[in-house]
């Protein structure tokens, strides 16, 4: 395997417990560069925990996990690798988590200046380009509370992209949005997918998932039950649990 086909995420036999609760069970997951993986499953099945393990927001107890060649150790003993992963992996959450006391522009320039050491000029130029890309350049000087939810989520996306991530993680990015704003956020994500960004997305937007995903992963009670290309998984699921889940959400 050469450098270009090396997986960005390589997870093997991952187990995660919250006390007595066995939340992730022997999870194997490889994500290759440019791949868009959508994770689906019932509430409480472990989707958030799975993607939070990928950027070290949650510790795991057993298994192997490498993100872009950086190895995360069980029990959170990762040190430098963890710092590296945090700078290389962008994440967009259900709640937008913008800094309320900073303007839109400053939200996007902060990390590149602080973490990457970019000059203000460089960071601002890049931020304006990204804000334009998510169609929100005219809001640069506003504060988060002055924006709609859909606009805030697009700022959150621009902010994550400003770090030039190798991988983007999304945890139900449209679940907190009013219905009329879901489309604009999905559009921005669709663009990103087209440009070749490697993405792992937890979403309940099944139409979107079918359209952008290279692979759908169905997770049930912390274990991957079935996975495959969208047309196979949605139209011809093999597993009874997948069938039952899909019959409830489609
Ligand atoms: P999903 O995102 O699929 O809804 P989660 O990954 O959030 O599922 O949660 C999986 C399981 O782990 C649930 O039973 C949840 O209650 C539990 N859980 C999640 N976070 C914690 C935590 N910090 N402490 C204890 N249990 C947790
Ligand atoms: Mg969740």
């Amino acid at each position: 395997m050469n450098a270009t086909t090396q997986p960005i995420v390589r997870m093997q036999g991952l187990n995660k417990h919250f006390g007595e609760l066995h939340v992730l069970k022997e999870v194997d997951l490889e994500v290759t560069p440019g791949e868009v993986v959508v994770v689906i499953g019932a509430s409480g099945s472990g989707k958030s925990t799975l993607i939070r393990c990928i950027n070290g927001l949650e510790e795991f107890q057993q298994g192997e996990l490498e993100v872009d060649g950086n190895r995360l150790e069980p029990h959170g003993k990762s040190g430098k690798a963890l710092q590296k992963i945090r700078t290389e992996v962008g994440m967009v959450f259900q709640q937008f988590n913008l800094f309320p006391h900073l303007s839109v522009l400053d939200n996007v320039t902060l990390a590149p200046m602080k973490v990457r050491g970019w000059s203000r000029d460089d960071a601002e130029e890049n931020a304006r380009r990204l804000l334009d890309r998510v169609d929100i350049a005219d809001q640069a000087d506003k504060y988060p509370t002055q924006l709609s939810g859909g606009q805030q989520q697009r700022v959150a996306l621009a902010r994550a992209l400003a770090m030039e991530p190798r991988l983007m993680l999304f945890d139900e990015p449209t679940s907190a949005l009013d219905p009329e704003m879901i489309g604009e956020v999905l559009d921005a994500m669709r663009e990103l997918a087209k440009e070749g960004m490697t993405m792992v997305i937890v979403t309940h937007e099944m139409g979107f998932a079918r359209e952008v995903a290279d692979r759908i992963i169905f997770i049930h009670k912390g274990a991957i039950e079935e996975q495959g290309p969208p047309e196979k998984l949605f139209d011809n699921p093999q597993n009874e649990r997948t069938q039952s889940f899909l019959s409830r959400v489609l």
Side-chain angles (χ1 to χ4, degrees), residues 18 21 23 41-50 58 171-172 202:
F18 281 120
L21 187 67
V23 191
S43 173
S45 57
K47 305 180 298 296
S48 293
T49 306
L50 175 66
E58 295 288 354
D171 192 359
E172 299 196 31
V202 175

Side-chain angles (χ1 to χ4, degrees), residues 130-150:
L130 289 167
L131 289 170
D132 187 44
R133 186 161 144 194
V134 296
D135 223 4
I136 206 166
D138 51 339
Q139 310 291 325
D141 298 323
K142 291 201 177 157
Y143 284 82
T145 52
Q146 298 175 286
L147 305 184
S148 72

